[in-house]
Coordinates of all heavy atoms in Angstrom, one line a residue:
P147 N 60.4 143.8 133.5 CA 60.7 143.4 132.2 C 59.5 142.8 131.5 O 58.6 142.2 132.1 CB 61.8 142.4 132.3 CG 61.5 141.7 133.6 CD 61.0 142.8 134.5
A148 N 59.5 142.9 130.2 CA 58.4 142.3 129.3 C 58.6 140.8 129.4 O 59.7 140.2 129.3 CB 58.5 142.8 127.9
A149 N 57.5 140.0 129.5 CA 57.5 138.6 129.5 C 57.7 138.0 128.1 O 57.1 138.6 127.2 CB 56.3 138.0 130.2
G150 N 58.5 137.0 128.0 CA 58.7 136.4 126.7 C 60.1 136.1 126.4 O 61.0 136.0 127.4
D151 N 60.5 136.0 125.2 CA 61.9 135.7 124.8 C 62.7 136.9 124.8 O 62.4 138.0 124.3 CB 61.9 135.1 123.4 CG 61.3 133.7 123.3 OD1 61.3 133.0 124.4 OD2 60.9 133.2 122.3
W152 N 63.9 136.8 125.5 CA 65.0 137.8 125.4 C 66.2 137.1 124.8 O 66.5 136.0 125.1 CB 65.3 138.3 126.9 CG 64.3 139.2 127.4 CD1 63.0 138.9 127.9 CD2 64.4 140.7 127.4 NE1 62.4 140.1 128.3 CE2 63.2 141.2 128.0 CE3 65.3 141.6 127.0 CZ2 63.0 142.5 128.2 CZ3 65.1 142.9 127.2 CH2 63.9 143.4 127.8
F153 N 66.9 137.9 124.0 CA 68.1 137.4 123.3 C 69.3 138.1 123.7 O 69.3 139.4 123.8 CB 67.9 137.5 121.8 CG 66.8 136.6 121.2 CD1 65.5 136.9 121.2 CD2 67.1 135.3 120.7 CE1 64.5 136.1 120.7 CE2 66.2 134.5 120.2 CZ 64.8 134.9 120.2
I154 N 70.4 137.4 123.8 CA 71.7 138.0 124.2 C 72.7 137.5 123.1 O 72.8 136.3 122.8 CB 72.2 137.6 125.6 CG1 71.2 138.1 126.6 CG2 73.6 138.1 125.8 CD1 71.6 137.7 128.0
A155 N 73.4 138.5 122.5 CA 74.4 138.1 121.5 C 75.7 138.7 121.9 O 75.8 139.8 122.4 CB 74.0 138.8 120.1
A156 N 76.8 137.8 121.8 CA 78.1 138.2 122.3 C 79.1 137.9 121.2 O 79.0 136.9 120.5 CB 78.5 137.5 123.6
H157 N 80.1 138.8 121.1 CA 81.2 138.5 120.1 C 82.4 139.3 120.5 O 82.4 140.2 121.4 CB 80.7 138.9 118.7 CG 80.4 140.4 118.6 ND1 81.3 141.4 118.3 CD2 79.2 141.1 118.7 CE1 80.7 142.5 118.3 NE2 79.4 142.4 118.5
L158 N 83.5 139.0 119.9 CA 84.8 139.7 120.1 C 84.9 140.8 119.0 O 84.1 140.9 118.1 CB 86.0 138.7 120.0 CG 86.0 137.6 121.1 CD1 87.1 136.7 120.8 CD2 86.2 138.3 122.5
P159 N 86.0 141.6 119.1 CA 86.1 142.7 118.0 C 86.3 142.1 116.7 O 86.3 140.9 116.4 CB 87.4 143.4 118.5 CG 87.5 143.2 120.0 CD 87.0 141.8 120.2
E160 N 86.5 143.0 115.7 CA 86.6 142.6 114.3 C 87.8 141.6 114.1 O 88.9 141.8 114.7 CB 86.8 143.8 113.4 CG 86.9 143.5 111.9 CD 87.1 144.8 111.1 OE1 87.2 145.8 111.7 OE2 87.2 144.6 109.9
A161 N 87.6 140.6 113.3 CA 88.7 139.7 113.0 C 89.8 140.4 112.2 O 89.5 141.2 111.3 CB 88.1 138.5 112.2
N162 N 91.0 139.9 112.4 CA 92.1 140.5 111.6 C 92.3 140.0 110.3 O 93.1 140.5 109.5 CB 93.4 140.3 112.4 CG 93.7 138.8 112.7 OD1 93.1 138.0 112.1 ND2 94.7 138.6 113.6
G163 N 91.6 139.0 109.9 CA 91.6 138.4 108.5 C 92.7 137.5 108.2 O 92.8 137.0 107.1
K164 N 93.6 137.2 109.2 CA 94.7 136.2 109.0 C 94.1 134.8 108.9 O 93.3 134.4 109.7 CB 95.7 136.4 110.1 CG 97.0 135.6 109.8 CD 98.0 135.8 110.9 CE 99.3 135.1 110.6 NZ 99.1 133.6 110.4

Side-chain angles (χ1 to χ4, degrees):
D151 288 337
W152 283 81
F153 291 84
I154 299 178
H157 62 86
L158 296 174
E160 180 182 0
N162 57 13
K164 188 177 185 302

